[in-house]
Amino acid sequence: MSLLRTVAVFTFIVGVSSSESSNCSYLALWNHLRLTTSNDFLATVRPVKNWTKPTEVWIDLMLYGILDVDEKTQTIVGNIWTKVIWNNEFLTWNPMLFCEIDLITVPRSLLWIPDLVIQEDASDTGSLQMSPFVSLVPAGLLYTTFRQRLTFTCQLNLSLFPFDSQTCNITFSSMVHSARSMILKALKNDTQLNNFTDRVMKTRGEWELKSIKTWHYYSAEKKWPESNVLFLVKIVRRPMLYLINFIIPLLYFIILDLASFFIDEAGGEKLSFKVTVLLSISVLLLILKDMLPSTEDNLPLIASYCVGIFAMVGISVLETMLVSFLISLDNEQDKDANSSGDAGVDIQLEVKHDEVTDDVNSENCSPPLNRHGDRTLLRRIQEELKALRRETRARGEGRRKPGCFRRIAHVIDCLFFILYFLAVVIFLLFMYVKWIEAYIQNEKDER
Ligand SMILES: *[C@@H]1O[C@H](CO)[C@@H](O)[C@H](O)[C@H]1NC(C)=O
Ligand SMILES: *[C@@H]1O[C@H](CO)[C@@H](O)[C@H](O)[C@H]1NC(C)=O
Ligand SMILES: *[C@@H]1O[C@H](CO)[C@@H](O)[C@H](O)[C@H]1NC(C)=O
Ligand SMILES: *[C@@H]1O[C@H](CO)[C@@H](O)[C@H](O)[C@H]1NC(C)=O
Ligand SMILES: *[C@@H]1O[C@H](CO)[C@@H](O)[C@H](O)[C@H]1NC(C)=O
Ligand SMILES: *[C@@H]1O[C@H](CO)[C@@H](O)[C@H](O)[C@H]1NC(C)=O
């Protein structure tokens, strides 16, 4: 059985070889183009007949998604497909003679391939996926596509975070060829590129693609100028998440802090409330630290916003401490005075009580009071009243001094509140104007 099959396969192969002359098989074309592994020439030499003619390489970048933007490492991850087209002067045929074959695919290993590299690429090679084949059309044009999870570096300017937009470069160049032997160009013009990207862009997360521009230029850093193709990708952040997650809570915290001035001083609730607010802000600061890189020379506005609010709440906590200290000083003296005064009154009352009971007793036991007894009683009452008045005066004097502290505390509190309120309003206005200014500038740049 298996023998029979082998024979059948063998006769089939012989049939194919014999029908070579029919021109409709790929084999005829391959023989015509001399595409065989023994023909090293095609794989090693730049495919031009006159060496002075540079090979033109057309590049098309298809951006299918922006997956991630890492502010810390200043990198962007994109899902891109790159289409590369170039010309091979040795691989042409007339489709009329070959049964109208107008496209063949050739293994990469057989051909010379442009050695393109993306200058900003920071990804590992594992993320690159190449087709093992290259397509070839009769005019000698070859094209190949590779897809890549491209991690590319981009100098992010976060000074307007989270209302920022970033412009990033994706620069294609050759690893070894200078502009004398290889010239890179963009396949699509800007209009086509934007139209295409708009249609194919799959993931639209935190970032929105604003535009892609492209041009080619020569860089003359080396001995021979090098040809480059630059894709300028402009992306804009959607700020809503940061607005509701970060900026508005901070705003509420500072409003809460302002409102806390109306809490009663007594009981120390005000202080603990303010410290709670301060702690909440510091939690937000921690989150911010995770989001932003530590670039000293270009402090983002949001960092100034956070630090400003933190500092203001911190100062208001200190002020509350001062005020409560002053009031506690006051209370202490008050208490001292109170305790002594109370003792005096108690004694007085006791004395008085004794007197009254005495009187009652005497009234019960003896006949109605005579005038002498009345007078002594009145005098005693008078003396007691005097003593009482002295006592109260002394207490009043004792109280005046701590009352002074309380008043100072009150004045400080009022003054501070006014200043603090003004400072908060001016600060918020300043931040608002800065952000709006930047935002308008951004919009203007786009046009
Ligand atoms: C090669 O090209 C150069 C300029 O492009 C031309 O001057 C020269 O004649 C060409 N040589 C041949 C053999 O065609
Ligand atoms: C096959 O190719 C030969 C030349 O290689 C040509 O003369 C002949 O017309 C071709 N036949 C067909 C059917 O295209
Ligand atoms: C970042 O952007 C801000 C506002 O647009 C600008 O003032 C600043 O110069 C930029 N910084 C850098 C390093 O480009
Ligand atoms: C992008 O390339 C242009 C032209 O070379 C350059 O001026 C610009 O600074 C580059 N931008 C970034 C973010 O590297
Ligand atoms: C881009 O190419 C299209 C089609 O080739 C053309 O209609 C359009 O005018 C071009 N746009 C620019 C800006 O060159
Ligand atoms: C984008 O391209 C498609 C087809 O290629 C076309 O139908 C559409 O009108 C274009 N849109 C714009 C805005 O140019």
Side-chain angles (χ1 to χ4, degrees), residues 158-202:
L158 294 168
S159 64
L160 298 179
F161 179 90
F163 302 99
D164 54 337
S165 66
Q166 306 294 345
T167 309
C168 292
N169 289 353
I170 300 178
T171 315
F172 286 89
S173 61
S174 166
M175 270 178 173
V176 295
H177 293 94
S178 69
R180 289 205 309 169
S181 50
M182 202 156 112
I183 290 182
L184 308 183
K185 287 184 177 164
L187 186 65
K188 291 192 178 118
N189 68 22
D190 290 355
T191 339
Q192 292 165 315
L193 201 61
N194 278 308
N195 186 348
F196 180 80
T197 315
D198 260 0
R199 278 185 291 125
V200 300
M201 192 89 164
K202 289 287 191 296

Side-chain angles (χ1 to χ4, degrees), residues 376-387:
T376 43
L377 187 62
L378 275 176
R379 198 175 296 141
R380 204 169 282 169
I381 288 173
Q382 193 184 359
E383 274 166 16
E384 274 171 24
L385 275 177
K386 268 183 194 164

Side-chain angles (χ1 to χ4, degrees), residues 21-23 96-99:
S21 55
S22 80
N23 301 6
M96 301 309 281
L97 300 181
F98 290 94
C99 243

Side-chain angles (χ1 to χ4, degrees), residues 77-93:
V77 181
N79 179 17
I80 67 162
W81 288 65
T82 313
K83 191 177 194 177
V84 183
I85 300 180
W86 71 100
N87 194 17
N88 188 326
E89 293 180 1
F90 302 107
L91 298 181
T92 57
W93 74 93

Side-chain angles (χ1 to χ4, degrees), residues 209-377:
L209 183 83
K210 258 302 183 224
S211 64
I212 301 190
K213 283 190 189 125
T214 174
W215 66 82
H216 67 272
Y217 67 97
Y218 299 100
S219 65
E221 279 141 29
K222 294 178 189 161
K223 188 180 171 195
W224 304 103
E226 252 186 66
S227 175
N228 300 292
V229 167
L230 178 70
F231 289 89
L232 213 66
V233 180
K234 180 157 189 179
I235 51 179
V236 177
R237 191 193 299 270
R238 298 206 171 107
M240 199 46 91
L241 181 70
Y242 297 96
L243 206 64
I244 56 176
N245 216 8
F246 206 89
I247 292 176
I248 291 178
L250 272 177
L251 196 66
Y252 275 123
F253 281 138
I254 196 135
I255 290 173
L256 277 181
D257 191 51
L258 276 175
S260 73
F261 276 93
F262 299 104
I263 297 179
D264 190 22
E265 294 284 350
E269 272 163 28
K270 186 171 171 181
L271 191 60
S272 59
F273 180 81
K274 280 185 180 249
V275 170
T276 313
V277 170
L278 197 68
L279 281 179
S280 317
I281 294 176
S282 63
V283 169
L284 285 181
L285 274 180
L286 273 185
I287 297 175
L288 185 73
K289 186 195 130 250
D290 283 344
M291 282 190 300
L292 295 183
S294 55
T295 46
E296 289 165 41
D297 47 337
N298 199 12
L299 194 68
L301 273 183
I302 196 162
S304 322
Y305 177 71
C306 286
V307 169
I309 286 181
F310 190 78
M312 284 196 291
V313 174
I315 289 172
S316 96
V317 168
L318 284 181
E319 188 267 352
T320 309
M321 280 177 179
L322 177 69
V323 165
S324 61
F325 169 70
L326 285 178
I327 287 175
S328 75
L329 266 188
D330 204 18
N331 283 349
E332 212 123 286
Q333 295 209 1
D334 218 16
K335 212 184 283 165
D336 286 350
N338 266 352
S339 54
S340 58
D342 285 352
V345 167
D346 283 352
I347 290 163
Q348 291 278 307
L349 284 178
E350 262 169 48
V351 169
K352 211 172 170 181
H353 187 71
D354 284 349
E355 286 299 321
V356 167
T357 46
D358 262 12
D359 281 355
V360 167
N361 286 347
S362 62
E363 202 174 357
N364 279 353
C365 304
S366 56
L369 295 166
N370 53 17
R371 291 190 71 82
H372 176 72
D374 252 358
R375 203 175 300 147
T376 43
L377 187 62

Side-chain angles (χ1 to χ4, degrees), residues 13-24:
I13 289 174
V14 167
V16 165
S17 340
S18 64
S19 68
E20 198 179 302
S21 55
S22 80
N23 301 6
C24 276

